[in-house]
Amino acid sequence: MKQKTVALYIRLSKEDDDVSFASEKEESNSITNQRMFLYEYLDSHPEFRGYRVIEKCDDGFSGKRFDRPGFTELMDLVRQGEVNCIIVKDFSRFGRDYIEIGDYLEQLFPFLGIRFIAVNDKYDSQEDGRQTAGLEVAFKNFIYDFYSRDTSKKIRNVRNKMASEGKFASANAPYGYMKSPEDKHLLIVDEEAAKVVREIYRLKLSGLSVRQVTIRLNERKIPSPAQYALDHRRGMDWRQVEHKPAWDATTVARILRDERYAGNMVSLKRTLNGIYGKDTPVEKREWMRVENTHEAIISYEDFLKTQETFPSYHKSQPKNIQRYNAFRCAHCGGSLSYSRDRKKLMCRYGDTNPEADCYRAAYPAKELCDAVLESLKWHLNLFVKWEELQSQWEKQTWKNLDPSPYEKELNQIETRKTQLYEKYRDGRINREEYIQQKNSLNQQAEGNRRKIDSIRMKMETRRNGSNRVREFSELVSKYRDADELTKELEMTFVEQVLVYDAEHIKITWKFEDVFRLIEETE
């Protein structure tokens, strides 16, 4: 018999600042405490002895969204039948959208036979009655969701007020500054890092490009902002402790465009579109700007001169298409960008870091794009052939997905239960016979309900799959004859292209689910 598996899910919405650099600790106390709490629960319940225990953790991820990496991995295991029970500290650790949580607890988990336990909320799906538990769960998660919305609104109001007063409100000070010990909302100069900031501006104003400035910094082995934070034990994400990051052009450009180095506070550059919305940039004219809020590292005049050294140009393509880039370096994970003549794809990180495995890596752009296009067209043509064979098969499949026979039998069972009760009431059978026959009918009814639920779930899954296939079919008709991998084509179909060298790449498609469906039904 296959060993049963219990999954412990742990989540923390904000990263802690308690990482001890003097020890080998690499995670927050709150995560550790949740883990200890759940293991204590397991130890106190002998029924879990012999279970295989796995953990999935999301540190620093909001419960308002469900695209967290650890949560996604857990759900993949659930759908693969690799998990029998999920245990969390409370419902809010699992998520804060009460409607979405209800879908998991009332539909997905019962259908898949997953037991769900929220320890502090004293909820166990195996013990609670469905109706009472459902109401209690919905109410508790409504409270959690209301709390998130109320907290979000209050935080937004406080941040807006602080921004209008020119106060610093982020967790970590920008490179070159520190938070004042007397007032955490005031920036003071960190002279050691400020020297590097001044040098960056000096090099840029001397005529060097951002790329050339980056190379100079790495050649001189000047610690990058992330490395500097690690070395000085402050403002460092614990997940980056093992990394030794170098300077890259993006970091240098960000410093050169940051007006805070001229002594002016610029805030509210990004916003959240609703509590469950996406974090998006704000138009520059809407930024909150307050002058002379802290000591400047460079003069405002030098800041303006530096901005004039950046080229200004306009692209005709929409901004989302301009910026889309699926090509990634398989060695460092950085984006690959085109050379000026567009003949090479070059690693941005390796281009400026002599110690990187991908230092000055350059790959033939046309050959890589042609390889991706060839693979895409093969998939599109395979889909066309597959689609032609589906019509007759689909008719037979839908014929088999008919819950009406089981619904008819369920009605008959209910009628028989009523007749059974009348026989017991009239004294034609005794109490033991009544209970025995009633339990038998209940088992038959439950079996029919499970079959009905299963068929309805399969029908819904197939409808959703059909919608996805229909969407893909429309795109196939539009792009099947493409003879070039345009940005629009890349953004439509390609999730990521990992480039190992000029001849080895790994492609992840945006329609992997459709491609898997084709493979499974061929």
Side-chain angles (χ1 to χ4, degrees), residues 66 71 74-80 83 86 94 99-116 130 453 457 461:
F66 285 81
F71 183 86
L74 175 60
M75 289 303 105
D76 286 343
L77 292 175
V78 165
R79 292 184 177 91
Q80 293 166 16
V83 174
I86 297 173
F94 190 71
I99 295 177
E100 185 103 11
I101 292 178
D103 289 340
Y104 281 103
L105 298 188
E106 300 293 335
Q107 297 183 38
L108 180 63
F109 291 163
F111 173 70
L112 296 175
I114 305 297
R115 181 180 178 184
F116 184 86
R130 181 173 293 184
D453 289 344
M457 183 69 76
T461 301

Side-chain angles (χ1 to χ4, degrees), residues 171-361:
N172 301 315
Y175 178 71
Y177 285 104
M178 298 183 293
K179 291 183 179 181
S180 169
E182 289 77 27
D183 182 359
K184 65 180 181 180
H185 300 302
L186 175 65
L187 295 177
I188 59 175
V189 174
D190 176 3
E191 194 54 43
E192 183 180 353
K195 290 178 181 177
V196 180
V197 173
R198 296 187 189 101
E199 179 67 2
I200 290 173
Y201 274 86
R202 187 191 68 78
L203 291 172
K204 188 69 172 73
L205 289 172
S206 72
L208 297 185
S209 66
V210 172
R211 175 178 174 273
Q212 291 169 330
V213 172
T214 307
I215 292 174
R216 290 278 185 94
L217 295 171
N218 283 324
E219 286 177 344
R220 291 162 58 180
K221 298 189 182 301
I222 296 175
S224 68
Q227 186 64 50
Y228 184 82
L230 175 59
D231 294 342
H232 289 74
R233 306 180 181 183
R234 63 168 182 259
M236 185 62 188
D237 182 350
W238 65 264
R239 289 170 291 185
Q240 302 293 328
V241 168
E242 295 301 316
H243 296 181
K244 299 294 181 184
W247 286 91
D248 59 57
T250 302
T251 302
V252 172
R254 187 183 302 120
I255 289 174
L256 290 168
R257 290 186 178 277
D258 193 339
E259 190 178 342
R260 289 178 297 183
Y261 292 112
N264 302 327
M265 186 60 67
V266 182
S267 311
L268 306 183
K269 297 169 72 172
R270 303 187 68 85
T271 188
L272 192 67
N273 294 326
I275 187 170
Y276 301 119
K278 194 173 184 180
D279 183 37
T280 55
V282 173
E283 292 291 334
K284 188 173 181 178
R285 64 177 180 275
E286 298 178 11
W287 294 355
M288 184 66 69
R289 180 176 177 275
V290 182
E291 296 183 355
N292 302 318
T293 57
H294 53 275
E295 183 181 353
I297 292 177
I298 52 102
S299 68
Y300 186 60
E301 291 73 18
D302 282 346
F303 175 77
L304 293 178
K305 291 178 183 177
T306 303
Q307 307 318 299
E308 295 173 359
T309 65
F310 287 97
S312 59
Y313 53 89
H314 174 73
K315 293 185 177 180
S316 57
Q317 288 181 310
K319 189 174 290 187
N320 61 336
I321 295 181
Q322 291 174 22
R323 295 179 177 176
Y324 192 80
N325 180 15
F327 288 90
R328 296 283 186 276
C329 174
H331 303 284
C332 70
S335 297
L336 299 181
S337 56
Y338 286 92
S339 58
R340 289 188 178 181
D341 58 9
R342 298 190 67 80
K343 291 183 178 180
K344 298 285 185 182
L345 275 166
M346 307 168 67
C347 178
R348 296 176 180 177
Y349 180 76
D351 185 44
T352 56
N353 182 13
E355 297 183 0
D357 294 335
C358 46
Y359 179 53
R360 293 191 175 176

Side-chain angles (χ1 to χ4, degrees), residues 415-432:
T415 300
R416 288 159 60 188
K417 286 171 63 177
T418 301
Q419 294 170 347
L420 179 67
Y421 175 74
E422 291 174 351
K423 290 172 68 176
Y424 170 63
R425 185 188 60 187
D426 295 342
R428 286 178 283 170
I429 58 174
N430 59 35
R431 185 172 183 275
E432 289 74 18

Side-chain angles (χ1 to χ4, degrees), residues 13-155:
S13 60
K14 294 181 69 177
E15 296 171 277
D16 296 315
D17 295 325
D18 65 347
V19 178
S20 172
F21 290 88
S23 68
E24 295 182 355
K25 176 186 174 187
E26 294 184 1
E27 57 184 26
S28 67
N29 273 329
S30 295
I31 289 293
T32 302
N33 287 341
Q34 283 188 59
R35 177 178 289 109
M36 291 173 60
F37 178 83
L38 294 179
Y39 273 102
E40 287 174 0
Y41 178 84
L42 286 179
D43 292 340
S44 64
H45 288 72
E47 63 193 285
F48 293 109
R49 289 173 187 168
Y51 275 62
R52 180 172 70 103
V53 180
I54 62 174
E55 297 177 16
K56 293 299 175 183
C57 175
D58 285 313
D59 195 348
F61 290 89
S62 171
K64 297 175 292 185
R65 303 180 65 91
F66 285 81
D67 54 354
R68 301 163 242 145
F71 183 86
T72 301
E73 292 174 9
L74 175 60
M75 289 303 105
D76 286 343
L77 292 175
V78 165
R79 292 184 177 91
Q80 293 166 16
E82 297 295 326
V83 174
N84 303 96
C85 178
I86 297 173
I87 304 179
V88 296
K89 182 181 178 183
D90 53 50
F91 289 126
S92 68
R93 296 305 92 201
F94 190 71
R96 290 190 181 274
D97 183 341
Y98 71 97
I99 295 177
E100 185 103 11
I101 292 178
D103 289 340
Y104 281 103
L105 298 188
E106 300 293 335
Q107 297 183 38
L108 180 63
F109 291 163
F111 173 70
L112 296 175
I114 305 297
R115 181 180 178 184
F116 184 86
I117 299 173
V119 181
N120 273 355
D121 291 315
K122 296 181 174 55
Y123 174 82
D124 185 339
S125 62
Q126 184 171 280
E127 298 176 1
D128 290 320
R130 181 173 293 184
Q131 289 183 340
T132 303
L135 180 61
E136 182 181 352
V137 169
F139 181 74
K140 284 184 177 180
N141 285 316
F142 175 79
I143 296 299
Y144 287 138
D145 184 66
F146 177 80
Y147 172 78
S148 289
R149 294 177 186 274
D150 186 55
T151 302
S152 177
K153 182 178 179 180
K154 289 178 179 177
I155 291 175

